[in-house]
Amino acid sequence: MINMLFDFARSSGVAALTWGKLLMIALACFFLFLAIKRGYEPYLLIPIAFGMLLANLPLSGLMDKGGLLNLLYLGVKYGIYPPLIFLGIGASTDFSPLIANPKSMLLGAAAQVGVVIAFLGALCLGFSPREAASIGIIGGADGPTALYLTQRLAPHLLGAIAIAAYSYMALVPVIQPPIMKALTTKAERKIHMSNLRQVSKNEKIIFPIAVTIIVTLLVPSAAPLIGMLMLGNLLKESGVVPHLVETAKNALLYTVTILLGTTVGATASAERFLTLQTLGIVAMGLVAFSAGTAGGVLLGKLMCKLSGGRINPLIGAAGVSAVPMSARVVQKVGQQEDPGNFLLMHAMGPNVAGVIGSAVAAGLLLNLFS
């Protein structure tokens, strides 16, 4: 009987626990706390954190060859999940603020400065160009794009980059406001913007078609992401396929989110994650995200000056691709100065421009380094 108990103990996961695995289990539980109790991006953070938890429970075999999560991970490995996420995002996104104010595209482009700064910083830290490109894209604050690019350029960094990208997306309400307030004056934050013009149905239908053609011709590598994003939006704006729209923005989007989050989280095993390299990625990810926010705000200040004070520079912070979180943060910061100031729709223009900008940036990096 005693021998049987000893044999059971030796074959259990408890016997295979290491300090590294315990630390990763604790980190996973901390992320679950942030998602459930604090409400930080729960739709993404809960699957990712639980995937981390499963990957670091010894002897489960979930990520071994033939294991459940290993098989589901093929959707990440072959670049299937991120474009499907973009399809759902497109079906639930209104591009009217961007169409009504095309200048918003400049703010979305300015926020991509974080990608460039993090790329150069990663090179200085000794990462290869392909690795640096994967780290830099964190600055776009677009999780699916970061995963799509990393899987093609530096798949061995996928776990660390996914955790960094989605963690910073979840912490948008914490990271962005101090940067926004430091770079703007109280008077600038109080600026009211005039109402956006009404966008016609024809414009809404033509926009996704035109963007697909133009972007794919210029940056062919961006076609999977841009194509699915614009297909989803075209389904929405056409008004003739409501069942497809409902499926894309609800059942499909949330199903793929579960699969993507759980399998990506499962790549963050203690052996891969607890390295100096990972710390460098997390640090450069924060630099990338902060620089992207700053780049958008600073261009917003310039546009404010050139427009004679008609543009609130806060909307530049929404140029990162965290839709619609960044736009909501802009609204909140603006109303802290003036409760009657409504910036949400103005911020949605740069916000959706950031989605397009991050996909284009990923395509350019793929063209350069693949």
Side-chain angles (χ1 to χ4, degrees), residues 24 51-53 55-56 159-160 163 263-273:
M24 291 302 294
M52 287 178 61
L53 181 65
N56 288 284
I163 299 301
T263 53
V264 165
T267 63
S269 62
E271 296 78 13
R272 292 184 179 182
F273 197 82

Side-chain angles (χ1 to χ4, degrees), residues 182-197:
L183 296 177
T184 57
T185 65
K186 192 177 185 71
E188 288 173 334
R189 295 194 291 273
K190 286 185 173 182
I191 293 175
H192 286 233
M193 296 180 65
S194 57
N195 293 332
L196 295 171
R197 70 173 179 85

Side-chain angles (χ1 to χ4, degrees), residues 152-166:
R152 278 156 176 71
L153 297 184
H156 57 289
L157 299 182
L158 187 64
I161 287 177
I163 299 301
Y166 281 110

Side-chain angles (χ1 to χ4, degrees), residues 5-358:
L5 291 174
F6 276 119
D7 289 341
F8 174 76
R10 282 193 296 268
S11 64
S12 71
V14 176
L17 277 174
T18 64
W19 286 110
K21 290 186 179 298
L22 286 172
L23 180 59
M24 291 302 294
I25 290 171
L27 182 60
C29 291
F30 175 67
F31 283 140
L32 287 171
F33 169 79
L34 291 179
I36 297 170
K37 299 297 287 186
R38 300 295 187 186
Y40 290 163
E41 198 62 22
Y43 284 96
L44 295 172
L45 213 50
I46 290 177
I48 289 175
F50 207 80
M52 287 178 61
L53 181 65
L54 292 172
N56 288 284
L57 291 171
L59 308 182
S60 65
L62 289 169
M63 280 299 283
D64 294 342
K65 186 175 181 180
L68 174 63
L69 294 183
N70 180 264
L71 294 174
L72 294 176
Y73 180 73
L74 294 175
V76 178
K77 182 178 181 180
Y78 294 113
I80 298 170
Y81 294 155
L84 290 180
I85 292 283
F86 264 54
L87 176 65
I89 292 172
S92 56
T93 300
D94 183 4
F95 285 101
S96 296
L98 177 59
I99 300 171
N101 185 16
K103 294 190 293 294
S104 299
M105 186 65 75
L106 297 175
L107 295 171
Q112 306 309 312
V113 70
V115 176
V116 177
I117 290 175
F119 170 74
L120 296 175
L123 287 177
C124 293
L125 290 177
F127 288 95
S128 71
R130 292 167 67 94
E131 292 172 335
S134 300
I135 295 168
I137 202 65
I138 297 173
D142 191 326
T145 300
L147 300 183
Y148 184 81
L149 183 66
T150 303
Q151 184 54 46
R152 278 156 176 71
L153 297 184
H156 57 289
L157 299 182
L158 187 64
I161 287 177
I163 299 301
Y166 281 110
S167 296
Y168 293 135
M169 284 176 64
L171 293 173
V172 162
V174 177
I175 297 172
Q176 284 200 311
I179 299 172
M180 296 161 67
K181 291 177 181 178
L183 296 177
T184 57
T185 65
K186 192 177 185 71
E188 288 173 334
R189 295 194 291 273
K190 286 185 173 182
I191 293 175
H192 286 233
M193 296 180 65
S194 57
N195 293 332
L196 295 171
R197 70 173 179 85
Q198 191 72 26
V199 176
S200 70
K201 183 177 178 64
N202 286 340
E203 288 178 291
K204 293 179 182 181
I205 292 175
I206 292 171
F207 181 79
I209 300 172
V211 169
T212 301
I213 294 171
I214 294 170
V215 172
T216 303
L217 287 175
L218 294 176
V219 190
S221 296
L225 296 176
I226 287 293
M228 289 298 100
L229 178 71
M230 294 303 158
L231 171 59
N233 188 249
L234 181 60
L235 293 175
K236 172 181 177 291
E237 300 300 350
S238 68
V240 295
V241 285
H243 297 305
L244 294 184
V245 175
E246 186 66 23
T247 298
K249 72 178 185 179
N250 288 309
L252 179 63
L253 177 60
Y254 292 125
T255 298
V256 177
T257 297
I258 293 171
L259 298 177
L260 177 67
T262 307
T263 53
V264 165
T267 63
S269 62
E271 296 78 13
R272 292 184 179 182
F273 197 82
L274 297 178
T275 64
L276 288 176
Q277 186 182 61
T278 299
L279 294 177
I281 290 171
V282 172
M284 291 311 304
L286 179 58
V287 170
F289 188 79
S290 301
T293 300
V297 173
L298 289 175
L299 182 60
K301 284 177 72 74
L302 177 60
M303 293 174 69
C304 177
K305 297 290 186 184
L306 295 177
S307 67
R310 292 194 299 272
I311 295 177
N312 190 314
L314 288 178
I315 67 171
V320 297
S321 180
V323 178
M325 289 176 291
S326 290
R328 289 173 181 166
V329 170
V330 169
Q331 171 75 3
K332 182 178 178 180
V333 173
Q335 289 198 324
Q336 285 175 351
E337 302 294 346
D338 182 352
N341 198 0
F342 297 96
L343 298 172
L344 182 61
M345 292 307 296
H346 297 285
M348 282 301 298
N351 215 181
V352 296
V355 178
I356 298 172
S358 66

